[in-house]
Amino acid sequence: MNSTVNLLDEALGLNDIDQTEPSSNTRGRVVLIEDCVETSGSFLLHHLIKRSLSPQSSGVVIFVAFAQPFSHYDRILRKMGCNLLTQRDNKRFLFLDMLMLECPDGDGETASKGGILLLYRKIQKAVEDGYSTKGRNITVIIDDISLMEVAAHGSSNHVLNFLHYCHTLTSQYGCSLVILNHRDIYSRTDRPSLILQMEYLADTLIKAEPLATGLATDVHGQLTVMNKGICDGSRISRNKMRNFHFRVKENSVEYFYPGTRT
């Protein structure tokens, strides 16, 4: 594997892919991915799915899909060498399809709250079942949280409660929580508190942004990765930030530092 491909894993502190069990610094973490219309961060979800389901890992992925159907992710991951159908049959990939989640009008506040609570209970049970089976490393991925807010009739309080519930699972069972959010949809609203609360909960914040210099044919955007706290032996490195560029290809993504491509 090209060393440049490992920049993202290095930034996330995930350098132990050859080990059969993830190191302790990959467990119990909340990773928040913020993207925008110009620069999608979906490829980061695909990377984390593939990594969690690698043959070297015994991990389980619980995927909460508000954005796309199963066939969409399966098609992309197949190009990356990961068969989600097989992983689903092997009970390593649990897909929760939330595309049809509807909160009716009238008593929508109560209905949306009940729907989100039901979703949390499904996730909680899946985490408990996975944890009881050989103590597997479990990753909960939400794509994406802004659409959950839409399903909740714009109730950011319901979404925040849901995230706090999920956060308790990371400490109780040591599972990881990965959240994708479209930050720019809040730029013209008066509700930035949801973003601030999510950033507060996150141990790692990844921002996918367009280049400051504009579009380029061989560079699709830049990533900023900030780890608010990663254990490294007996030391804890806080607020460590890395910035690098990326290029999305047909079945992979290249990561490289600014100025290293001509």
Side-chain angles (χ1 to χ4, degrees), residues 80-98:
M80 300 172 62
C82 179
N83 190 321
L84 291 186
L85 277 174
T86 300
Q87 300 293 352
R88 187 174 65 177
D89 292 342
N90 292 336
K91 301 187 183 305
R92 292 190 61 192
F93 185 76
L94 175 61
F95 188 83
L96 300 179
D97 189 347
M98 308 307 297

Side-chain angles (χ1 to χ4, degrees), residues 52-260:
S52 299
L53 297 176
S54 68
Q56 292 83 9
S57 168
S58 62
V60 174
V61 173
I62 302 170
F63 196 91
V64 185
F66 286 91
Q68 300 288 346
F70 176 84
S71 58
H72 170 82
Y73 304 100
D74 184 49
R75 175 175 52 83
I76 293 175
L77 268 294
R78 279 178 186 268
K79 293 180 180 179
M80 300 172 62
C82 179
N83 190 321
L84 291 186
L85 277 174
T86 300
Q87 300 293 352
R88 187 174 65 177
D89 292 342
N90 292 336
K91 301 187 183 305
R92 292 190 61 192
F93 185 76
L94 175 61
F95 188 83
L96 300 179
D97 189 347
M98 308 307 297
L99 289 176
M100 301 305 294
L101 179 66
E102 295 181 356
C103 301
D105 295 331
D107 195 21
E109 181 79 5
T110 302
S112 61
K113 181 179 180 180
I116 290 178
L117 182 60
L118 180 61
L119 171 61
Y120 169 73
R121 287 175 177 169
K122 288 182 180 179
I123 295 173
Q124 181 185 37
K125 183 179 186 305
V127 169
E128 291 174 348
D129 292 345
Y131 184 80
S132 64
T133 306
K134 301 179 182 178
R136 286 178 163 181
N137 189 44
I138 303 165
T139 302
V140 180
I141 300 178
I142 302 175
D143 183 16
D144 63 74
I145 204 68
S146 58
L147 291 178
M148 171 183 277
E149 189 178 9
V150 172
H153 287 287
S155 175
S156 57
N157 288 334
H158 290 345
V159 175
L160 280 175
N161 288 338
F162 171 82
L163 292 177
H164 281 290
Y165 294 152
C166 290
H167 186 258
T168 63
L169 297 178
T170 66
S171 57
Q172 184 175 0
Y173 296 99
C175 62
S176 300
L177 176 63
V178 180
I179 306 164
L180 175 65
N181 186 48
H182 302 309
R183 183 183 178 91
D184 56 346
I185 69 172
Y186 301 98
S187 59
R188 295 194 178 116
T189 72
D190 57 356
R191 293 182 299 164
S193 60
L194 179 60
I195 292 178
L196 296 176
Q197 287 291 324
M198 286 192 292
E199 291 181 349
Y200 175 79
L201 288 175
D203 300 295
T204 300
L205 174 62
I206 307 176
K207 291 187 178 182
E209 301 170 302
L211 296 177
T213 55
L215 298 176
T217 57
D218 58 343
V219 183
H220 292 158
Q222 61 182 340
L223 292 179
T224 301
V225 182
M226 186 178 75
N227 293 303
K228 292 191 288 185
I230 289 186
C231 297
D232 182 14
S234 60
R235 300 172 300 170
I236 298 180
S237 174
R238 295 191 180 276
N239 296 323
K240 185 172 183 179
M241 184 178 297
R242 296 193 184 185
N243 182 274
F244 45 90
H245 292 170
F246 66 88
R247 180 186 181 189
V248 180
K249 303 172 71 175
E250 180 68 17
N251 57 1
S252 64
V253 180
E254 292 182 346
Y255 305 100
F256 45 91
Y257 288 116
T260 59

